[in-house]
């Protein structure tokens, strides 16, 4: 493990051990302070966040984009402060910390025994939404986590999410899809953050008017297992309670090849994500490149 990786792991360890003991007002103030400091430094992540917001709000002035990126960093640090503290939250605090609209799409789907895939973008706090599902709905689910470096940091995230009642599978390794399909065929719940393609072989979509790629997994799982595919969007307001919406099901097209069906369904997911992001752009924590025009060309091409 490199010195940088050891430092990263140590900092996350301090966050999980120290921040969770702070009174909530103190944690909120700390998050805002760290966010504002990071925003003022205008590092690579902040610049990328602002660049992404420029596509979401194309008529924004430079001043408006600066306001959005500052609000975006505050939202991002709110996610981290909440995540560090979630393991110490009581079941009541978790249950009252999230207020989703149209939750009947999820509960009706689970009651039908079909299995359900919840697919969401990097909006607000998806970990809190997951903890709410396992706590308020008493429904376990399976998810996939990106392998992080160092490995000890990945292990921390897995243990953290398992502690919230989630079954966590590694993104790499090739066996995740089969396990997810089995859970769905058994009538279970799968939750996937699915607005950024990690494989470089995702499905082409139009996102805010420009070409991007998103993962094929949610659409393929729905096709192969008969599970319900439900987009979810999340947002913060000025209260301590996170808001959210479960969107209507995305149906499998009646005609077309598997590739064609996957394309139609993934575009529908992208459109649902875009509606939520456009309403609450500051809560979209996309500090990485997403659109094809921003990605590095494959090696060997000019």
């Amino acid at each position: 493990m490199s010195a940088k990786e050891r430092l990263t792991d140590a900092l996350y360890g301090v966050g999980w051990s120290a921040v969770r003991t702070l009174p909530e007002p103190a944690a909120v103030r700390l998050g805002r302070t760290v966010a504002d400091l990071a925003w003022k430094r205008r590092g690579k992540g902040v610049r990328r966040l602002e660049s992404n917001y420029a596509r979401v709000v194309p008529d924004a002035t430079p001043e408006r984009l600066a306001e959005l990126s500052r609000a975006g960093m505050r939202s991002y640090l709110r996610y981290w402060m909440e995540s560090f503290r979630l393991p110490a939250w009581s079941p009541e605090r978790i249950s009252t910390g999230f207020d989703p609209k149209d939750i009947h799409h999820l509960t009706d789907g689970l009651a039908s025994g079909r299995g359900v895939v919840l697919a969401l973008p990097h909006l607000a706090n998806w970990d809190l939404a997951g903890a709410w599902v396992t706590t308020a709905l008493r429904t376990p689910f399976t998810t996939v986590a990106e392998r992080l470096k160092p490995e000890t940091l990945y292990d921390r995230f897995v243990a953290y999410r398992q502690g919230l009642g989630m079954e966590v599978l590694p993104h790499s390794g090739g066996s995740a899809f089969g396990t997810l399909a089995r859970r769905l065929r058994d009538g279970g719940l799968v939750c996937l953050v699915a607005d950024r393609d990690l494989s470089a072989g995702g499905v082409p979509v139009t996102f805010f008017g420009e070409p991007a790629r998103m993962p094929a997994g949610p659409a393929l799982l729905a096709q192969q297992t008969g599970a319900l595919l439900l987009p979810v969007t999340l947002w913060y307001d000025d209260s301590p309670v996170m808001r959210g919406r479960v969107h209507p099901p995305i149906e499998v097209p009646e005609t077309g090849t598997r590739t064609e069906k996957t394309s139609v369904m993934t575009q529908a997911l992208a459109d649902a994500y875009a509606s939520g992001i456009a309403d609450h752009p500051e809560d979209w924590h996309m500090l990485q490149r997403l659109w094809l025009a921003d990605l590095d060309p494959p090696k060997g091409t000019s």
Side-chain angles (χ1 to χ4, degrees):
M1 187 189 302
S2 69
K4 182 179 178 182
E5 289 176 340
R6 285 196 298 271
L7 177 61
T8 300
D9 182 59
L11 288 173
Y12 278 98
V14 168
W16 264 301
S17 62
V19 173
R20 75 172 64 183
T21 65
L22 291 175
E24 191 152 338
V28 171
R29 288 195 300 271
L30 176 61
R32 285 205 162 203
T33 300
V34 173
D36 289 349
L37 287 172
W39 177 77
K40 288 176 182 177
R41 288 183 60 193
R42 290 195 61 78
K44 188 164 115 178
V46 173
R47 296 196 306 272
R48 176 54 55 192
L49 183 68
E50 205 163 288
S51 173
N52 290 339
Y53 287 159
R55 285 185 166 94
V56 175
V57 190
D59 58 349
T61 63
E63 293 76 17
R64 172 61 177 147
L65 286 176
E67 291 173 0
L68 271 177
S69 65
R70 184 178 188 181
M73 290 304 295
R74 287 182 170 186
S75 176
Y76 186 47
L77 263 295
R78 176 172 171 175
Y79 160 78
W80 279 112
M81 291 297 109
E82 287 179 348
S83 295
F84 287 144
R85 293 168 57 77
L86 261 176
W89 280 12
S90 67
E92 181 182 7
R93 177 68 179 87
I94 292 173
S95 297
T96 59
F98 179 40
D99 180 26
K101 299 179 180 178
D102 300 326
I103 195 67
H104 66 89
H105 291 306
L106 171 58
T107 54
D108 290 351
L110 291 171
S112 74
R114 287 179 60 181
V116 176
V117 180
L118 293 180
L120 59 160
H122 287 80
L123 273 169
N125 191 337
W126 47 96
D127 284 328
L128 173 55
W132 184 88
V133 168
T134 60
T135 302
L137 297 186
R138 300 180 183 272
T139 301
F141 66 87
T142 305
T143 189
V144 175
E146 178 184 359
R147 278 203 175 274
L148 302 172
K149 290 184 178 180
E151 190 76 13
T152 50
L153 180 57
Y154 170 76
D155 292 340
R156 285 185 189 275
F157 271 95
V158 170
Y160 155 65
R161 289 180 172 134
Q162 287 176 336
L164 297 174
M166 312 175 193
E167 179 187 22
V168 183
L169 307 175
H171 180 269
S172 58
S175 62
F177 189 91
T179 302
L180 295 174
R182 287 194 295 275
R183 300 292 182 269
L184 292 168
R185 290 191 182 101
D186 290 338
L189 176 63
V190 164
C191 299
L192 301 171
V193 180
D195 57 342
R196 179 169 169 255
D197 177 47
L198 295 175
S199 68
V203 180
V205 297
T206 300
F207 195 52
F208 289 100
E210 291 195 40
R213 284 193 301 261
M214 292 189 179
L220 287 173
L221 285 166
Q223 289 178 62
Q224 293 194 16
T225 67
L228 210 60
L229 176 57
L230 300 175
V232 177
T233 53
L234 309 170
W235 65 93
Y236 291 127
D237 56 20
D238 293 330
S239 77
V241 179
M242 184 176 71
R243 314 296 174 176
R245 180 188 174 200
V246 181
H247 294 249
I250 293 175
E251 302 294 343
V252 178
E254 294 183 0
T255 60
T257 64
R258 184 175 72 169
T259 299
E260 290 168 342
K261 291 177 180 179
T262 301
S263 178
V264 169
M265 296 172 74
T266 306
Q267 182 63 60
L269 274 179
D271 293 342
Y273 297 162
S275 70
I277 293 167
D279 287 342
H280 305 278
E282 67 279 4
D283 291 324
W284 189 40
H285 308 151
M286 186 53 65
L287 280 72
Q288 299 85 20
R289 301 178 185 188
L290 180 78
W291 282 272
L292 299 189
D294 294 335
L295 299 177
D296 294 328
K299 292 182 180 180
T301 65
S302 57

